[in-house]
Amino acid sequence: MAKPLKKLVSCVILDLDDGVVSEVLKGFLAKYGKQWDGREAQRIVGKTPLEAAAAVVEEYGLPCGKEEFLAELHPVFYAQLCNIKPLPGASRLLKHLSGHGVPMALASNSPRGSIESKISYHQGWKDYFSAIVGGDEVTAGKPSPEIFLEAAKRLNREPSSCLVIEDSMPGVTAGKAAGMEVVAVPSVPKQAHLYTSADEVINSLLDLQPEKWGLPPFQDWIEGTLPTEPWYISGPVIKGFGRGSKVLGIPTANLSPKGHSSLLSEHPSGVYFGWAGLSTRGVYKMVMSIGWNPYFNNAEKTIEPWLLHEFTEDFYGEELRLVIVGYLRPEVNFPSLESLIAKIHEDKRIAERALDLPLYSKHKDDPYLSSSLHSESNHS
């Protein structure tokens, strides 16, 4: 739960660093016969490039110095900048704040040139920011507050009237040291408990409620649902954990996360809804969870759709195609199994009702749902 609103803010400072570092490291470490598994992500998030390189060189025992590693990495990293996808919900947030005239600054430990290259690939983003501060423009990067204090100065605002939105621990520490309000959006899964110094911790930018900070509220929620650009996923139905039917009384038709890792990283964990197609049976309403299911503490991100229809038999192995059209809520942990089950049934009621709205019902006829010949790549 968020602490009660402490003060109103008049501007927003963000750091929108993203997953490109992991992608580059993955390919790069393979050269040394090492495998990047993402677990070290927490050690490099929010660090300056040299600190991040030092952490990786040490962690993997690479046969090179940190400067050498960084020099090799830089050209690869810059070549990948055009492939960066914005954080889920970032474009929506920037458009919203900009449309209401809320001044924004971008403050990152990355060098200024790297930040400007990154945002140049996102149409219109450069115009959203009244100020950009890079790690090479201050004497000390985060967790020092200097970057944020400089951003406030360039926005001509008092630090206490700034809201910082950060995905890293060094960034949260820096924002609080600067005397600002801080919302943390942890970039590494299952680490929310480490961010206790933030004023609020949210699962993704989709869950930000600007009105808590005296900023204009989003107006795009419809009957408890947030419309999203449709996205598509398919695969054979697999046996899940055996808890859907037995423990919860909710028979989910699970998909394997294998082969879907980039799609899963683009969409925050949480509860979504849409339409499900089974090639031999038809198209059904569907509500689904993506994530670690905090109550059961899954070891890996799972995809657990619940088809809102009474089936008389199992359909393991059948091809299931999903069109996801909206977002309901973040994953949360529940104090009891009863409260988890009650919430899932509430999700079902909201999704069932919403899918009758023309905005969502039109997707029932998407050819992707009924064509087993359709290739997923057409819809990624």
Side-chain angles (χ1 to χ4, degrees), residues 39-52:
R39 276 182 303 201
E40 289 77 17
Q42 186 64 36
R43 292 192 60 190
I44 65 169
V45 170
K47 298 284 200 308
T48 63
L50 197 60
E51 289 168 341

Side-chain angles (χ1 to χ4, degrees), residues 157-356:
R157 288 291 196 279
E158 285 299 315
S160 61
S161 70
C162 301
L163 176 67
V164 167
I165 300 175
E166 257 291 348
D167 68 342
S168 74
M169 270 310 302
V172 169
T173 307
K176 289 316 295 174
M180 299 177 177
E181 298 294 292
V182 179
V183 173
V185 191
S187 54
V188 179
K190 296 186 169 192
Q191 299 293 329
H193 60 285
L194 300 177
Y195 289 73
T196 46
S197 57
D199 298 284
E200 185 181 17
V201 182
I202 56 177
N203 182 57
S204 80
L205 291 175
L206 298 179
D207 305 313
L208 183 71
Q209 295 174 281
E211 63 274 21
K212 283 187 178 177
W213 311 98
L215 296 169
F218 284 112
Q219 302 289 350
D220 49 359
W221 283 82
I222 296 163
E223 294 190 17
T225 69
L226 178 63
T228 59
E229 279 295 308
W231 50 286
Y232 302 78
I233 194 163
S234 68
V237 176
I238 59 165
K239 277 194 188 292
F241 297 96
R243 62 183 180 221
S245 304
K246 296 182 184 66
V247 181
L248 302 175
I250 293 157
T252 54
N254 295 22
L255 293 180
S256 166
K258 288 182 180 51
H260 295 307
S261 59
S262 65
L263 190 64
L264 289 177
S265 66
E266 274 173 53
H267 299 281
S269 60
V271 179
Y272 296 83
F273 66 99
W275 297 97
L278 285 165
S279 46
T280 58
R281 298 168 191 267
V283 174
Y284 308 95
K285 291 177 176 179
M286 172 278 300
V287 64
M288 70 188 270
S289 74
I290 286 186
W292 286 267
N293 199 323
Y295 185 83
F296 292 106
N297 197 17
N298 296 348
E300 62 175 349
K301 214 169 182 182
T302 58
I303 308 165
E304 304 186 36
W306 179 21
L307 277 54
L308 306 180
H309 177 81
E310 295 286 333
F311 291 95
T312 53
E313 59 194 346
D314 288 332
F315 39 84
Y316 295 125
E318 287 189 34
E319 177 80 359
L320 177 64
R321 302 183 150 260
L322 306 176
V323 176
I324 296 96
V325 297
Y327 173 77
L328 290 180
R329 62 175 178 86
E331 278 198 307
V332 283
N333 204 346
F334 289 90
S336 68
L337 199 57
E338 291 69 33
S339 53
L340 168 63
I341 292 169
K343 191 66 176 171
I344 295 173
H345 281 281
E346 185 189 327
D347 296 335
K348 174 190 174 183
R349 282 193 298 277
I350 294 171
E352 276 190 320
R353 195 169 58 234
L355 285 164
D356 289 332

Side-chain angles (χ1 to χ4, degrees), residues 1 11 15 34 66 92 143 147 157 229 271 281 291 311 334 354 360:
M1 289 294 292
C11 64
D15 180 3
K34 308 277 185 182
K66 57 188 179 184
R92 167 183 177 249
I147 259 178
R157 288 291 196 279
E229 279 295 308
V271 179
R281 298 168 191 267
F311 291 95
F334 289 90
Y360 297 127

Side-chain angles (χ1 to χ4, degrees), residues 12-70:
V12 174
I13 305 174
L14 309 100
D15 180 3
L16 297 173
D17 270 349
D18 27 49
V20 76
V21 178
S22 296
E23 286 308 306
V24 171
L25 282 171
K26 204 179 284 179
F28 207 79
L29 287 168
K31 253 178 53 172
Y32 290 99
K34 308 277 185 182
Q35 191 180 2
W36 168 259
D37 56 13
R39 276 182 303 201
E40 289 77 17
Q42 186 64 36
R43 292 192 60 190
I44 65 169
V45 170
K47 298 284 200 308
T48 63
L50 197 60
E51 289 168 341
V56 172
V57 167
E58 180 197 347
E59 184 72 37
Y60 286 90
L62 298 182
C64 61
K66 57 188 179 184
E67 283 89 357
E68 188 191 336
F69 181 63
L70 203 55

